[in-house]
Structure formats: structure tokens, C-alpha cells
Amino acid sequence: MPSIGNIQLPEFPLLLAPMEDVSDPPFRAVCKDKGADLMYTEFISSEGLIRDAIKSRQKLDIFDYEKPVGIQIFGGDEESLAMAAKIVDVTNPDLLDINFGCPVKKVAMKGAGAGVLKDVDLMVRLTAAVVKSTSLPVTVKTRLGWDDEHRNIEEVAERLQDVGIQALAIHGRTRAQMYKGSADWELIGKVKNNPRIKIPIFGNGDIDSPQKALEYKDKFGVDGIMIGRAAIGYPWIFDEIKHFLKTGEILPSPTIEDRVEVCKKHLHKSFEWKGPLVGIFEMRRHYANYLKGLPGIKDYRYQLVTLKTVEEIDAVLDEIVIKYAGYQFEKTPIELINYHEKCPL
């Protein structure tokens, strides 16, 4: 069974990927309920933490029921990352993760996120600075390389292991690909099967069904799988994969009652953590995903994204349960949507 520092993980852990504007405590709560073994915060700017930026500080919020949970930071300056690591240390997460994978222009072109893949020496220095500045296990999430001419993940994995990281998650695309095309797991498999690599290697990218999870587990030999976009509006993906790996059976699709129950929990957690205005507003992006596949749902969805109180939204969700009682959801691979232009890692 893989371990990260003192964190003992299950035999084949399923990790929830850190996704900007998605992987907040309310979303993590429903994913934990549905089987996520290890989760991460949204990525946090090292500069923001040092400036005491409110949004950055709020992202440090973690709760006991989430554990094990990691806090993810990003930046392109050794001193700033080291200082941010010290700040993270006192919040007592289980691990600290460095983001070398975000491909969006405003991050990568400033020499952070996936932008660091253009300078492996800098990546090594940044990582070493963080490792030296914290007592927490340090992990990294990154991509195959900057572009097809610089797919340097094998070198990156060896050198980061040498400076002390304790696990590596690899998204099977280059920065140039963003989220286009298919994730290439062949290189992820090469990293995992490199005899020099002793740390856990987690694969990420395009896992949209239990069948694919089993196929990639067997074919590439990774220590676990990280799931991102497939969990948005469908946290059941974790339990479904676990059940299939154990039994070879596909669980039935969650019913409309199941979906509304989880959607309500997500809504109420969002309200409690973010407050009535922001909590309700930011929940609006999730309704379409929870209710995907329902015929004639447009009018209800419009109500959900315009109502301004939890009580009104709950009432509409209750009405949806009554209207669609007994509806059989089609069992298909989950559609992986690029839901915004920020950084869905």
C-alpha cells in the first residue's frame, strides 16, 4: 500500500485533484462522502499568502472530516514559496503539494504552475526550498512537459525525488495541450516503472468511468489515480470505481433522490462556509452538472441560478425530485467539460 510520509493510503487510492474555483471545502465534503481517499485544496498563491490576501488565506481552511488532506501552493520564487510553506505548516494539513501543472496563461507565463516546466533547474530549486522549509511531506503535481518537443517528465520525476518529494501526480498532457486531445498515460507508466523511482506515482487525466480506471491501473501500474473533472457534479465516481475494482460490477446510476440529496449538502456547506451571498452565487455553476441528463430541466435550472435563498432553492430541488421520481439515468462515461478558463488541474 502506498504511503506519503506518515500517511498510509489504501491499496489503490483515489485522489481528488485540486481544481481552482471547484475544490473548496463544500465540494471536498461531498467527494469525501463518496469515497475520495486523499484530497487537496484549490491552489494557493505563495505571494497571496505572504500578502495576507483574504481569498488566499480562506483557502487554507481544512476540516478534520477531510483528512488526509493536502494544501497546494504555487509560485515561481524560491523565497516566496519557502515563506508560504512555513505559513501552511501551522495550519496542520497532512501534506503540502506544489503546483507545477496549471497551464493557464496568467499563471504559466509568470513562471509558475506549468511555466516552471521550461526550466527544470528552477523547478528543482523551488522544490528543494519548500522541502527545507516545512516539516510536512511535500508532493508535486505536474504535467508531461511544456510541449511535445520537451516532454521531460522522466527527468523531472528523478530530480524531484532526489530533493525530497514523497509522491508525484502526473497529468498526461503537456502545457501546450491545455485540456485538448487525449491524456497520454504511456509516459506516466514509464515514470512509474523506472527502477530509480521509489515514491508513489499517481496518474491523472481523462478517467471518466470505472472501466477505464481498471484498464489504466493494470496497463500502467500507477500507485493510484487522481480524478478531477469527472467528479464535478458526480462525486459518485469514487465509490463506483472502488466497487468495480473490488467486484467487477458496475453500480447503478445514482437516482434523482441521490443527486438532489448530495446537491443539497453541497449547497448548505457552501452557504455555511462562504456566507449567504457568495455561497449561493458560487453554487450556481454546479446545478447543471448534478442534474445533467434530465429532460426538460431548463426551467428548473433557471430558477436554481436566479433564486437568492437556500429555502427557495431547496423547494425547487424538492419539486425536481417529485417530477422526476423513478427516472432512469443513462449509464455512460462522464463528459469531461472544460468548465472555465482558470485552472482545472
PDB file of all heavy atoms in Angstrom, residues 55 75-76 87 89 98 104-105 125 153 160 167 178 213 240 242 250 272 281 287 291 310 331 333:
ATOM      1  N   LYS A  55      -8.606  35.989   0.099  1.00  0.00           N
ATOM      2  CA  LYS A  55      -9.010  34.784  -0.618  1.00  0.00           C
ATOM      3  C   LYS A  55      -7.978  33.675  -0.450  1.00  0.00           C
ATOM      4  O   LYS A  55      -8.322  32.500  -0.278  1.00  0.00           O
ATOM      5  CB  LYS A  55      -9.224  35.082  -2.105  1.00  0.00           C
ATOM      6  CG  LYS A  55      -9.800  33.892  -2.867  1.00  0.00           C
ATOM      7  CD  LYS A  55     -10.197  34.264  -4.286  1.00  0.00           C
ATOM      8  CE  LYS A  55     -10.829  33.078  -4.990  1.00  0.00           C
ATOM      9  NZ  LYS A  55     -11.244  33.379  -6.375  1.00  0.00           N
ATOM     10  N   GLY A  75       3.959  29.120  -7.167  1.00  0.00           N
ATOM     11  CA  GLY A  75       4.753  30.336  -7.246  1.00  0.00           C
ATOM     12  C   GLY A  75       6.028  30.057  -8.015  1.00  0.00           C
ATOM     13  O   GLY A  75       6.370  28.911  -8.288  1.00  0.00           O
ATOM     14  N   GLY A  76       6.751  31.123  -8.355  1.00  0.00           N
ATOM     15  CA  GLY A  76       7.964  30.965  -9.138  1.00  0.00           C
ATOM     16  C   GLY A  76       9.201  31.530  -8.478  1.00  0.00           C
ATOM     17  O   GLY A  76      10.248  31.653  -9.115  1.00  0.00           O
ATOM     18  N   ILE A  87       3.965  29.197   6.391  1.00  0.00           N
ATOM     19  CA  ILE A  87       2.609  29.598   6.760  1.00  0.00           C
ATOM     20  C   ILE A  87       1.685  28.380   6.737  1.00  0.00           C
ATOM     21  O   ILE A  87       0.872  28.171   7.648  1.00  0.00           O
ATOM     22  CB  ILE A  87       2.091  30.698   5.810  1.00  0.00           C
ATOM     23  CG1 ILE A  87       2.926  31.979   5.975  1.00  0.00           C
ATOM     24  CG2 ILE A  87       0.605  30.975   6.060  1.00  0.00           C
ATOM     25  CD1 ILE A  87       2.646  33.034   4.926  1.00  0.00           C
ATOM     26  N   ASP A  89       2.464  25.330   7.127  1.00  0.00           N
ATOM     27  CA  ASP A  89       2.874  24.394   8.184  1.00  0.00           C
ATOM     28  C   ASP A  89       2.004  24.525   9.437  1.00  0.00           C
ATOM     29  O   ASP A  89       1.596  23.534  10.045  1.00  0.00           O
ATOM     30  CB  ASP A  89       4.334  24.657   8.543  1.00  0.00           C
ATOM     31  CG  ASP A  89       5.134  23.370   8.729  1.00  0.00           C
ATOM     32  OD1 ASP A  89       4.616  22.288   8.417  1.00  0.00           O
ATOM     33  OD2 ASP A  89       6.279  23.457   9.203  1.00  0.00           O
ATOM     34  N   ILE A  98       2.975  21.062  -4.280  1.00  0.00           N
ATOM     35  CA  ILE A  98       3.400  22.185  -5.126  1.00  0.00           C
ATOM     36  C   ILE A  98       2.776  22.003  -6.505  1.00  0.00           C
ATOM     37  O   ILE A  98       2.876  20.934  -7.113  1.00  0.00           O
ATOM     38  CB  ILE A  98       4.929  22.256  -5.272  1.00  0.00           C
ATOM     39  CG1 ILE A  98       5.616  22.207  -3.911  1.00  0.00           C
ATOM     40  CG2 ILE A  98       5.319  23.532  -6.020  1.00  0.00           C
ATOM     41  CD1 ILE A  98       7.136  22.099  -4.006  1.00  0.00           C
ATOM     42  N   VAL A 104      -2.786  27.713 -17.428  1.00  0.00           N
ATOM     43  CA  VAL A 104      -3.381  28.950 -17.908  1.00  0.00           C
ATOM     44  C   VAL A 104      -2.349  30.063 -18.003  1.00  0.00           C
ATOM     45  O   VAL A 104      -1.386  30.121 -17.239  1.00  0.00           O
ATOM     46  CB  VAL A 104      -4.572  29.390 -17.029  1.00  0.00           C
ATOM     47  CG1 VAL A 104      -5.689  28.375 -17.083  1.00  0.00           C
ATOM     48  CG2 VAL A 104      -4.132  29.638 -15.603  1.00  0.00           C
ATOM     49  N   LYS A 105      -2.584  30.951 -18.942  1.00  0.00           N
ATOM     50  CA  LYS A 105      -1.583  31.950 -19.315  1.00  0.00           C
ATOM     51  C   LYS A 105      -1.156  32.825 -18.144  1.00  0.00           C
ATOM     52  O   LYS A 105       0.040  33.082 -17.950  1.00  0.00           O
ATOM     53  CB  LYS A 105      -2.147  32.818 -20.443  1.00  0.00           C
ATOM     54  CG  LYS A 105      -1.163  33.818 -21.021  1.00  0.00           C
ATOM     55  CD  LYS A 105      -1.768  34.544 -22.213  1.00  0.00           C
ATOM     56  CE  LYS A 105      -0.780  35.524 -22.824  1.00  0.00           C
ATOM     57  NZ  LYS A 105      -1.357  36.226 -23.997  1.00  0.00           N
ATOM     58  N   ARG A 125      15.096  23.786  -7.728  1.00  0.00           N
ATOM     59  CA  ARG A 125      15.424  24.735  -6.659  1.00  0.00           C
ATOM     60  C   ARG A 125      14.186  25.132  -5.866  1.00  0.00           C
ATOM     61  O   ARG A 125      14.222  25.216  -4.628  1.00  0.00           O
ATOM     62  CB  ARG A 125      16.091  25.989  -7.241  1.00  0.00           C
ATOM     63  CG  ARG A 125      17.469  25.755  -7.852  1.00  0.00           C
ATOM     64  CD  ARG A 125      18.224  27.064  -8.033  1.00  0.00           C
ATOM     65  NE  ARG A 125      17.504  28.046  -8.811  1.00  0.00           N
ATOM     66  CZ  ARG A 125      17.564  28.147 -10.148  1.00  0.00           C
ATOM     67  NH1 ARG A 125      18.313  27.282 -10.839  1.00  0.00           N
ATOM     68  NH2 ARG A 125      16.903  29.087 -10.782  1.00  0.00           N
ATOM     69  N   ILE A 153       9.187  14.700 -18.343  1.00  0.00           N
ATOM     70  CA  ILE A 153       8.696  14.253 -17.048  1.00  0.00           C
ATOM     71  C   ILE A 153       9.582  13.181 -16.416  1.00  0.00           C
ATOM     72  O   ILE A 153       9.679  13.103 -15.182  1.00  0.00           O
ATOM     73  CB  ILE A 153       7.234  13.756 -17.158  1.00  0.00           C
ATOM     74  CG1 ILE A 153       6.645  13.475 -15.771  1.00  0.00           C
ATOM     75  CG2 ILE A 153       7.147  12.520 -18.048  1.00  0.00           C
ATOM     76  CD1 ILE A 153       6.604  14.647 -14.851  1.00  0.00           C
ATOM     77  N   LEU A 160      13.176  15.564  -8.827  1.00  0.00           N
ATOM     78  CA  LEU A 160      12.352  15.984  -7.695  1.00  0.00           C
ATOM     79  C   LEU A 160      12.386  14.960  -6.573  1.00  0.00           C
ATOM     80  O   LEU A 160      12.369  15.319  -5.390  1.00  0.00           O
ATOM     81  CB  LEU A 160      10.910  16.233  -8.152  1.00  0.00           C
ATOM     82  CG  LEU A 160      10.696  17.376  -9.141  1.00  0.00           C
ATOM     83  CD1 LEU A 160       9.209  17.626  -9.355  1.00  0.00           C
ATOM     84  CD2 LEU A 160      11.386  18.661  -8.699  1.00  0.00           C
ATOM     85  N   ALA A 167       5.799  12.052  -3.155  1.00  0.00           N
ATOM     86  CA  ALA A 167       4.855  11.486  -4.120  1.00  0.00           C
ATOM     87  C   ALA A 167       4.764  12.458  -5.286  1.00  0.00           C
ATOM     88  O   ALA A 167       5.033  13.662  -5.144  1.00  0.00           O
ATOM     89  CB  ALA A 167       3.481  11.254  -3.508  1.00  0.00           C
ATOM     90  N   MET A 178      -3.025  22.128 -23.036  1.00  0.00           N
ATOM     91  CA  MET A 178      -4.088  22.564 -22.116  1.00  0.00           C
ATOM     92  C   MET A 178      -4.933  21.341 -21.746  1.00  0.00           C
ATOM     93  O   MET A 178      -4.439  20.439 -21.112  1.00  0.00           O
ATOM     94  CB  MET A 178      -4.922  23.683 -22.748  1.00  0.00           C
ATOM     95  CG  MET A 178      -4.104  24.894 -23.143  1.00  0.00           C
ATOM     96  SD  MET A 178      -3.425  25.818 -21.750  1.00  0.00           S
ATOM     97  CE  MET A 178      -4.892  26.653 -21.144  1.00  0.00           C
ATOM     98  N   ALA A 213     -10.632   3.248 -15.347  1.00  0.00           N
ATOM     99  CA  ALA A 213      -9.760   3.245 -14.169  1.00  0.00           C
ATOM    100  C   ALA A 213      -9.063   1.899 -14.021  1.00  0.00           C
ATOM    101  O   ALA A 213      -7.850   1.836 -13.767  1.00  0.00           O
ATOM    102  CB  ALA A 213     -10.572   3.566 -12.917  1.00  0.00           C
ATOM    103  N   GLU A 240     -17.953   4.309  -7.318  1.00  0.00           N
ATOM    104  CA  GLU A 240     -18.176   3.427  -8.459  1.00  0.00           C
ATOM    105  C   GLU A 240     -16.887   2.733  -8.882  1.00  0.00           C
ATOM    106  O   GLU A 240     -16.880   1.530  -9.192  1.00  0.00           O
ATOM    107  CB  GLU A 240     -18.772   4.222  -9.626  1.00  0.00           C
ATOM    108  CG  GLU A 240     -20.213   4.638  -9.374  1.00  0.00           C
ATOM    109  CD  GLU A 240     -20.814   5.377 -10.543  1.00  0.00           C
ATOM    110  OE1 GLU A 240     -20.106   5.615 -11.551  1.00  0.00           O
ATOM    111  OE2 GLU A 240     -22.021   5.738 -10.470  1.00  0.00           O
ATOM    112  N   LYS A 242     -14.217   2.194  -6.944  1.00  0.00           N
ATOM    113  CA  LYS A 242     -13.823   1.259  -5.886  1.00  0.00           C
ATOM    114  C   LYS A 242     -14.627  -0.040  -5.970  1.00  0.00           C
ATOM    115  O   LYS A 242     -14.079  -1.144  -5.837  1.00  0.00           O
ATOM    116  CB  LYS A 242     -14.010   1.907  -4.514  1.00  0.00           C
ATOM    117  CG  LYS A 242     -12.984   2.976  -4.201  1.00  0.00           C
ATOM    118  CD  LYS A 242     -13.194   3.525  -2.794  1.00  0.00           C
ATOM    119  CE  LYS A 242     -12.081   4.488  -2.420  1.00  0.00           C
ATOM    120  NZ  LYS A 242     -12.227   5.008  -1.053  1.00  0.00           N
ATOM    121  N   ILE A 250     -20.704  -3.001 -12.065  1.00  0.00           N
ATOM    122  CA  ILE A 250     -20.998  -1.581 -12.220  1.00  0.00           C
ATOM    123  C   ILE A 250     -22.160  -1.221 -11.312  1.00  0.00           C
ATOM    124  O   ILE A 250     -23.229  -1.836 -11.388  1.00  0.00           O
ATOM    125  CB  ILE A 250     -21.358  -1.232 -13.680  1.00  0.00           C
ATOM    126  CG1 ILE A 250     -20.186  -1.530 -14.608  1.00  0.00           C
ATOM    127  CG2 ILE A 250     -21.794   0.219 -13.800  1.00  0.00           C
ATOM    128  CD1 ILE A 250     -19.005  -0.627 -14.417  1.00  0.00           C
ATOM    129  N   GLU A 272     -22.826  27.759   4.431  1.00  0.00           N
ATOM    130  CA  GLU A 272     -22.211  27.875   5.759  1.00  0.00           C
ATOM    131  C   GLU A 272     -20.791  28.413   5.683  1.00  0.00           C
ATOM    132  O   GLU A 272     -20.375  29.216   6.531  1.00  0.00           O
ATOM    133  CB  GLU A 272     -22.193  26.491   6.423  1.00  0.00           C
ATOM    134  CG  GLU A 272     -23.571  25.964   6.798  1.00  0.00           C
ATOM    135  CD  GLU A 272     -23.550  24.481   7.105  1.00  0.00           C
ATOM    136  OE1 GLU A 272     -22.435  23.892   7.166  1.00  0.00           O
ATOM    137  OE2 GLU A 272     -24.635  23.888   7.283  1.00  0.00           O
ATOM    138  N   PHE A 281     -24.289  32.231  -4.743  1.00  0.00           N
ATOM    139  CA  PHE A 281     -23.847  32.608  -6.088  1.00  0.00           C
ATOM    140  C   PHE A 281     -22.880  31.574  -6.673  1.00  0.00           C
ATOM    141  O   PHE A 281     -23.038  31.135  -7.819  1.00  0.00           O
ATOM    142  CB  PHE A 281     -23.187  33.986  -6.046  1.00  0.00           C
ATOM    143  CG  PHE A 281     -22.641  34.423  -7.371  1.00  0.00           C
ATOM    144  CD1 PHE A 281     -23.489  34.899  -8.359  1.00  0.00           C
ATOM    145  CD2 PHE A 281     -21.277  34.346  -7.645  1.00  0.00           C
ATOM    146  CE1 PHE A 281     -22.982  35.292  -9.604  1.00  0.00           C
ATOM    147  CE2 PHE A 281     -20.771  34.733  -8.873  1.00  0.00           C
ATOM    148  CZ  PHE A 281     -21.625  35.215  -9.863  1.00  0.00           C
ATOM    149  N   TYR A 287     -25.255  23.245 -10.489  1.00  0.00           N
ATOM    150  CA  TYR A 287     -26.555  22.602 -10.663  1.00  0.00           C
ATOM    151  C   TYR A 287     -26.662  21.830 -11.976  1.00  0.00           C
ATOM    152  O   TYR A 287     -27.204  20.715 -12.010  1.00  0.00           O
ATOM    153  CB  TYR A 287     -27.683  23.634 -10.581  1.00  0.00           C
ATOM    154  CG  TYR A 287     -27.774  24.310  -9.231  1.00  0.00           C
ATOM    155  CD1 TYR A 287     -27.671  25.695  -9.106  1.00  0.00           C
ATOM    156  CD2 TYR A 287     -27.957  23.562  -8.074  1.00  0.00           C
ATOM    157  CE1 TYR A 287     -27.742  26.313  -7.872  1.00  0.00           C
ATOM    158  CE2 TYR A 287     -28.029  24.168  -6.824  1.00  0.00           C
ATOM    159  CZ  TYR A 287     -27.915  25.550  -6.730  1.00  0.00           C
ATOM    160  OH  TYR A 287     -27.972  26.161  -5.492  1.00  0.00           O
ATOM    161  N   LEU A 291     -27.657  17.748 -12.337  1.00  0.00           N
ATOM    162  CA  LEU A 291     -28.938  17.411 -12.955  1.00  0.00           C
ATOM    163  C   LEU A 291     -28.800  17.036 -14.425  1.00  0.00           C
ATOM    164  O   LEU A 291     -29.809  16.931 -15.140  1.00  0.00           O
ATOM    165  CB  LEU A 291     -29.902  18.598 -12.808  1.00  0.00           C
ATOM    166  CG  LEU A 291     -30.142  19.061 -11.360  1.00  0.00           C
ATOM    167  CD1 LEU A 291     -30.986  20.318 -11.336  1.00  0.00           C
ATOM    168  CD2 LEU A 291     -30.787  17.959 -10.525  1.00  0.00           C
ATOM    169  N   VAL A 310     -31.561  29.897   0.381  1.00  0.00           N
ATOM    170  CA  VAL A 310     -31.426  28.443   0.448  1.00  0.00           C
ATOM    171  C   VAL A 310     -32.793  27.782   0.506  1.00  0.00           C
ATOM    172  O   VAL A 310     -33.023  26.735  -0.107  1.00  0.00           O
ATOM    173  CB  VAL A 310     -30.574  28.048   1.672  1.00  0.00           C
ATOM    174  CG1 VAL A 310     -30.651  26.544   1.915  1.00  0.00           C
ATOM    175  CG2 VAL A 310     -29.129  28.472   1.476  1.00  0.00           C
ATOM    176  N   LYS A 331     -26.379   5.179 -18.221  1.00  0.00           N
ATOM    177  CA  LYS A 331     -25.029   4.923 -17.705  1.00  0.00           C
ATOM    178  C   LYS A 331     -24.030   5.079 -18.845  1.00  0.00           C
ATOM    179  O   LYS A 331     -23.878   4.210 -19.703  1.00  0.00           O
ATOM    180  CB  LYS A 331     -24.948   3.510 -17.124  1.00  0.00           C
ATOM    181  CG  LYS A 331     -23.750   3.293 -16.217  1.00  0.00           C
ATOM    182  CD  LYS A 331     -23.949   3.981 -14.880  1.00  0.00           C
ATOM    183  CE  LYS A 331     -22.837   3.662 -13.913  1.00  0.00           C
ATOM    184  NZ  LYS A 331     -23.035   4.313 -12.614  1.00  0.00           N
ATOM    185  N   PRO A 333     -19.970   7.049 -20.002  1.00  0.00           N
ATOM    186  CA  PRO A 333     -18.796   7.746 -19.465  1.00  0.00           C
ATOM    187  C   PRO A 333     -19.122   9.207 -19.200  1.00  0.00           C
ATOM    188  O   PRO A 333     -19.923   9.829 -19.901  1.00  0.00           O
ATOM    189  CB  PRO A 333     -17.754   7.586 -20.576  1.00  0.00           C
ATOM    190  CG  PRO A 333     -18.152   6.329 -21.286  1.00  0.00           C
ATOM    191  CD  PRO A 333     -19.658   6.325 -21.248  1.00  0.00           C
TER     192      PRO A 333
END
